[in-house]
Amino acid sequence: MSTQQIGWCNFITQMADTVEHDISGFHFVSFLPPPNSAPVATAVELAAAMLYEHRLDNLGRLFDAKGVHALIVKGQAIVDLAYSGDKVRLAGDVDLLVGDDEERICSCLQQLGYHERKAPGRRFSHRLLGERPFVTKNSELPGLIEIHRFLDKAILRPVDYAGIRSRSRPSKRKGFLYPSSEDLILLLVLHESVALVPSVARTKQDLRMLMTNAHPNMEVVMDRARAWQLERALVDLLSDGQSGDGPVPAAGFPYLLAQRSRHDSNLTWARGMLRYGALRVLDRLL
């Protein structure tokens, strides 16, 4: 049966099943010494990565046809800027950072068959969650796209998102932009610092690969980290310690209390707590 008959998605899935046994013992050659070497990819991981990129490229071509150029943060930006062709970094969803183009991008997604999944009971506090998830059942497109005006959750640092967007550059993929390597490092640190489910080991791996292969100016990274009140989180992730993911705090206020240790400024954290608490009260009252 041809790939045209079974479609790209089925083809890649069947390919993974076929070659898993044949190459399960094969180790891809690493051109970087430890600890900068990424884990060896299995056939299933290779197939998943191919399928993800196929869907992403389909979306990018549709964006480009509509004159849309969206800024990818994390995910494929890390893969293309930090990982060489013999290594695989799997991604699940697609994260886009938006500004004044938010409604245009959201409208474009809806025209492509996506619908927004809204959090119930958050009429007021949803604005501090930092993301708008869009989902589709179209197997030729990414199943989940998250639209971000910021990457913080509930308690907002003074991150220069306008600067991040102004420094972005075209990617090798139609319809998409990537952040500068310096901004990408800090966005990765920011995402890990607010993650509900930490993935410290993976984030450290990504940071090592970015610093080795994307050639960021680390003085610029540190200056921006201080300005964005992200220095503590950056230093922690660049240190040799904190290799485990650690306990996961309960969602809600226990999570926000645990965030205190990851913020540089007590004042920013306290103001954020008060603002979020006031909006949650309004959620319940109105």
Side-chain angles (χ1 to χ4, degrees):
M1 184 179 295
S2 70
T3 59
Q4 288 79 9
Q5 291 173 305
I6 63 177
W8 254 100
C9 301
N10 290 337
F11 170 69
I12 294 175
T13 302
Q14 290 186 16
M15 180 191 70
D17 293 338
T18 302
V19 303
E20 171 71 12
H21 175 74
D22 294 334
I23 71 170
S24 59
F26 178 76
H27 287 248
F28 292 96
V29 176
S30 173
F31 297 99
L32 296 172
N36 293 328
S37 298
V40 173
T42 68
V44 170
E45 289 172 336
L46 283 171
M50 291 172 63
L51 178 57
Y52 177 88
E53 291 194 29
H54 167 69
R55 289 169 169 167
L56 184 68
D57 287 341
N58 282 345
L59 178 63
R61 285 189 287 269
L62 292 170
F63 274 173
D64 186 65
K66 294 178 177 292
V68 170
H69 297 88
L71 176 56
I72 291 183
V73 293
K74 306 181 300 176
Q76 199 62 37
I78 298 171
V79 173
D80 288 344
L81 295 177
Y83 285 77
S84 56
D86 67 324
K87 301 176 181 68
V88 169
R89 180 194 185 277
L90 297 179
D93 56 5
V94 177
D95 295 278
L96 303 179
L97 183 64
V98 299
D100 295 338
D101 57 351
E102 177 178 2
E103 292 309 318
R104 185 182 183 195
I105 290 177
C106 291
S107 175
C108 183
L109 289 173
Q110 290 168 338
Q111 292 171 21
L112 296 175
Y114 284 85
H115 70 271
E116 185 174 0
R117 192 171 61 195
K118 297 183 179 181
R122 289 186 175 272
R123 179 182 173 189
F124 298 95
S125 64
H126 76 276
R127 69 190 70 175
L128 294 181
L129 297 182
E131 62 191 34
R132 295 173 61 182
F134 286 79
V135 295
T136 184
K137 294 182 179 179
N138 186 338
S139 62
E140 291 295 317
L141 295 173
L144 172 61
I145 297 176
E146 293 186 344
I147 303 297
H148 300 264
R149 287 195 74 96
F150 48 84
L151 265 66
D152 264 322
K153 295 185 186 296
I155 301 174
L156 309 185
R157 295 173 174 86
V159 176
D160 181 16
Y161 290 106
I164 292 171
R165 292 191 295 272
S166 70
R167 290 186 291 268
S168 64
R169 53 196 174 186
S171 72
K172 67 179 184 180
R173 302 177 187 278
K174 285 186 176 182
F176 293 117
L177 306 170
Y178 286 165
S180 70
S181 58
E182 294 82 9
D183 288 335
L184 184 55
I185 283 177
L186 291 173
L187 289 168
L188 185 58
V189 170
L190 177 57
H191 178 261
E192 180 60 41
S193 74
V194 302
L196 294 171
V197 180
S199 54
V200 175
R202 184 187 191 189
T203 299
K204 282 176 170 282
Q205 173 70 36
D206 288 341
L207 290 173
R208 286 194 296 266
M209 299 296 286
L210 280 167
M211 289 188 292
T212 299
N213 296 330
H215 311 296
N217 183 328
M218 292 307 293
E219 289 186 8
V220 171
V221 171
M222 291 303 300
D223 287 344
R224 288 180 192 164
R226 295 186 190 100
W228 300 355
Q229 298 179 8
L230 198 58
E231 184 177 13
R232 177 179 296 178
L234 175 63
V235 171
D236 284 347
L237 285 167
L238 293 182
S239 69
D240 292 332
Q242 195 191 355
S243 58
D245 291 339
V248 178
F253 281 99
Y255 161 81
L256 296 178
L257 290 171
Q259 280 287 300
R260 170 63 200 95
S261 64
R262 301 182 182 183
H263 274 260
D264 291 1
S265 168
N266 286 334
L267 183 59
T268 297
W269 175 79
R271 285 175 173 170
M273 284 286 288
L274 290 172
R275 183 183 182 194
Y276 180 76
L279 291 177
R280 287 299 284 152
V281 169
L282 291 176
D283 286 339
R284 289 168 169 79
L285 293 179
L286 302 178

